[in-house]
Amino acid sequence: MKNIVVLGSTGSIGTSSLEVISKLGKGYKVLGLSTYGKEALILQQLKKFKPKYVSVLPKATHDKIKNKIPAGTKLLSPTLKGLNFLSSLKPADLIINGLVGSVGFEPLISSIKAGKTIALANKEPIVMAGELIMKLAKKYNAKILPVDSEPSAVFQCLDGICPSTYHNTSKLVEKFFLTASGGPFFNYKGNLSKVSPAQALKHPRWKMGPKITIDSSTLMNKGFELIELMHLFSIPMDKIQIVIHPQSVVHGAVEYKDGSILAKMSLPDMKLPIQYAITYPEKCKSPVKKLDLFELGKLEFYRPNLNKFPCLNLALQCAKKGGSYPVVLNASNEVAVQKFLAGEIKFTDISKLIEKVLNKNPYKSARNLNLKKVQEIHNWATKHSREKI
Ligand SMILES: NC(=O)c1ccc[n+]([C@@H]2O[C@H](COP(=O)([O-])OP(=O)(O)OC[C@H]3O[C@@H](n4cnc5c(N)ncnc54)[C@H](OP(=O)(O)O)[C@@H]3O)[C@@H](O)[C@H]2O)c1
């Protein structure tokens, strides 16, 4: 029996994960769930999956539902402490981390320190502190399995060798291809400063939560994935090629020394990489619609336009500089996306805000960051992005 905790069970990754677990059936048990504010959905999930533990943040939601929790489920404290406890449960065989943004940082560290196997969708903590996270994963013997579809594709092309323990890629592989649909504005000819949150939230291929959908529309998401790939597989940046591929059928590829390329292809559905992380190293039957090559017809590949999508350019610069830069990048992007969604800034202000904060980064020379330092830099960048701009 595999006991599974799903962090962020009411989000896009969380609900897909529960669907996959349901379909897999026997052999998989949900041990814990967590939500932020979706009371009705979490109550439905508790009824269906009967987990031993649930974490509900914030306190207002926690207090509203505390008398409705079914017998047999323990409601944890409405604090990060409760979420960290859930992330490191002793009997858990797998922690699916479907939290969004920097809020997943501490729970991820808790899972790692408990030596867990982690199916990681929540890429932002890796952007913030990839080097440190991989060091800790090694120290505590934790395994990180990518759920993000492109890193999962690369993982599968590398024959499923666990990234936390795999340090040999540079000997075998010449290049890694990281594909991107291009988002809703790939072919957009209008003025990007006028696009609304509703337009940016209309992703052409993937149905995801709001933060990652905006990150996909600015291509920041691809920059984040490049950083994620660098850390998960110890890949130098110059070996990663970002490719715009509007069909979203090739999710990632590796070019081996001999010039042959292995690509992972499927219809765009997160349930596939989620299932692989759950059943790893097995590949099991899946209800996801199969790719029909005849129906597909053609595959297109383009170079990304860094002038049109300056967020990607900023992410590449930060990936190169390392140290505190990715921490500041992530925090300022988080605030900029919130501001854009709230109608406070224009789409084109997202990159401007991030660039301004990066230029004022007082931690320019910080290297070998520890947990305390990462948190300090993150807090500075968040505060600065909120207040000064
Ligand atoms: N969605 C995708 O297809 C996809 C693909 C690849 C990678 N990812 C990555 O996976 C992660 C999750 O993405 P998503 O699209 O599933 O996001 P989402 O739909 O917004 O779900 C996020 C989950 O985290 C919970 N949450 C939000 N803020 C919280 C807080 N302050 N404290 C505790 N819990 C909180 C949410 O609770 P509520 O539901 O109550 O708000 C929800 O359960 C992101 O890092 C994203 O980049 C997503």
Side-chain angles (χ1 to χ4, degrees):
M1 178 68 67
K2 209 175 233 186
N3 288 306
I4 305 177
V5 168
V6 184
L7 305 176
S9 63
T10 49
S12 165
I13 290 290
T15 48
S16 294
S17 300
L18 290 177
E19 232 182 279
V20 169
I21 294 168
S22 272
K23 289 268 157 53
L24 284 169
K26 266 194 192 156
Y28 298 88
K29 165 100 186 80
V30 174
L31 185 66
L33 295 174
S34 93
T35 187
Y36 190 67
K38 299 221 176 82
E39 327 165 20
L41 182 54
I42 195 74
L43 287 172
Q44 270 175 32
Q45 292 179 346
L46 295 182
K47 209 167 153 197
K48 179 163 179 192
F49 293 96
K50 303 181 176 53
K52 260 195 164 155
Y53 300 94
V54 64
S55 154
V56 181
L57 295 168
K59 192 169 181 316
T61 319
H62 172 277
D63 291 351
K64 249 197 213 166
I65 70 167
K66 66 179 174 201
N67 297 325
K68 299 181 192 161
I69 303 293
T73 299
K74 182 172 166 30
L75 178 63
L76 298 168
S77 90
T79 58
L80 211 44
K81 225 172 154 190
L83 200 54
N84 290 341
F85 173 81
L86 193 61
S87 311
S88 55
L89 278 178
K90 235 187 179 162
D93 301 299
L94 181 71
I95 310 287
I96 300 178
N97 186 330
L99 296 167
V100 62
S102 54
V103 75
F105 183 66
E106 272 200 39
L108 175 61
I109 299 294
S110 300
S111 300
I112 290 173
K113 286 189 171 168
K116 294 293 164 195
T117 299
I118 304 145
L120 187 67
N122 182 205
K123 67 192 87 182
E124 290 89 347
I126 296 278
V127 173
M128 293 165 72
E131 206 179 309
L132 176 63
I133 284 170
M134 297 315 285
K135 249 190 228 159
L136 290 174
K138 203 168 172 198
K139 179 173 171 192
Y140 291 98
N141 207 15
K143 283 197 180 80
I144 301 179
L145 305 172
V147 164
D148 212 353
S149 80
E150 294 76 9
S152 169
V154 166
F155 178 44
Q156 293 180 55
C157 291
L158 289 170
D159 209 12
I161 299 165
C162 178
S164 316
T165 54
Y166 192 67
H167 298 289
N168 223 5
T169 51
S170 57
K171 292 207 179 107
L172 297 170
V173 179
E174 203 65 48
K175 209 177 236 176
F176 295 80
F177 295 97
L178 194 53
T179 54
S181 71
F185 304 127
F186 169 57
N187 272 325
Y188 189 71
K189 299 281 186 285
N191 185 345
L192 279 176
S193 71
K194 300 250 161 59
V195 302
S196 65
Q199 281 173 287
L201 285 169
K202 256 194 206 138
H203 196 281
R205 298 283 173 201
W206 298 93
K207 208 171 168 315
M208 310 178 285
K211 158 89 174 26
I212 185 175
T213 308
I214 300 301
D215 287 346
S216 300
S217 73
T218 60
L219 293 197
M220 179 61 92
N221 184 48
K222 219 36 63 179
F224 281 1
E225 283 172 6
L226 176 132
I227 298 172
E228 188 183 4
L229 217 55
M230 285 169 71
H231 292 298
L232 288 182
F233 301 99
S234 311
I235 305 174
M237 189 180 163
D238 59 8
K239 281 201 172 195
I240 305 173
Q241 175 66 59
I242 294 175
V243 181
I244 304 297
H245 166 49
Q247 288 80 18
S248 294
V249 160
V250 174
H251 302 292
V254 299
E255 181 185 313
Y256 283 88
K257 286 273 179 210
D258 63 359
S260 52
I261 295 180
L262 295 191
K264 193 263 175 184
M265 294 165 69
S266 64
L267 289 175
D269 190 324
M270 282 308 294
K271 289 196 274 308
L272 274 181
I274 290 172
Q275 176 168 308
Y276 187 57
I278 292 175
T279 62
Y280 174 80
E282 306 291 328
K283 286 226 191 244
C284 301
K285 260 188 173 291
S286 152
V288 169
K289 196 177 164 217
K290 295 206 169 53
L291 178 64
D292 182 330
L293 291 176
F294 299 107
E295 223 174 77
L296 177 66
K298 64 175 179 183
L299 296 172
E300 295 165 292
F301 302 99
Y302 303 95
R303 286 183 195 280
N305 180 342
L306 299 184
N307 293 325
K308 186 171 177 184
F309 297 102
C311 281
L312 178 56
N313 203 16
L314 292 171
L316 297 181
Q317 286 169 23
C318 290
K320 204 168 185 177
K321 287 179 179 160
S324 62
Y325 281 91
V327 191
V328 176
L329 175 83
N330 178 67
S332 54
N333 178 64
E334 206 158 285
V335 174
V337 169
Q338 279 162 8
K339 283 182 181 242
F340 171 65
L341 284 172
E344 291 168 23
I345 62 171
K346 294 183 208 156
F347 183 77
T348 42
D349 290 336
I350 297 176
S351 62
K352 287 181 191 156
L353 187 154
I354 298 167
E355 193 170 9
K356 274 190 192 169
V357 181
L358 283 168
N359 286 339
K360 288 180 187 154
N361 176 11
Y363 300 94
K364 284 189 172 68
S365 53
R367 286 281 172 277
N368 300 319
L369 310 178
N370 58 25
L371 289 173
K372 221 173 134 203
K373 200 75 189 169
V374 171
Q375 206 64 61
E376 180 186 324
I377 300 168
H378 172 78
N379 292 344
W380 171 84
T382 303
K383 192 164 178 275
H384 198 74
S385 309
R386 280 193 189 135
E387 281 173 4
K388 300 275 182 203
I389 307 196

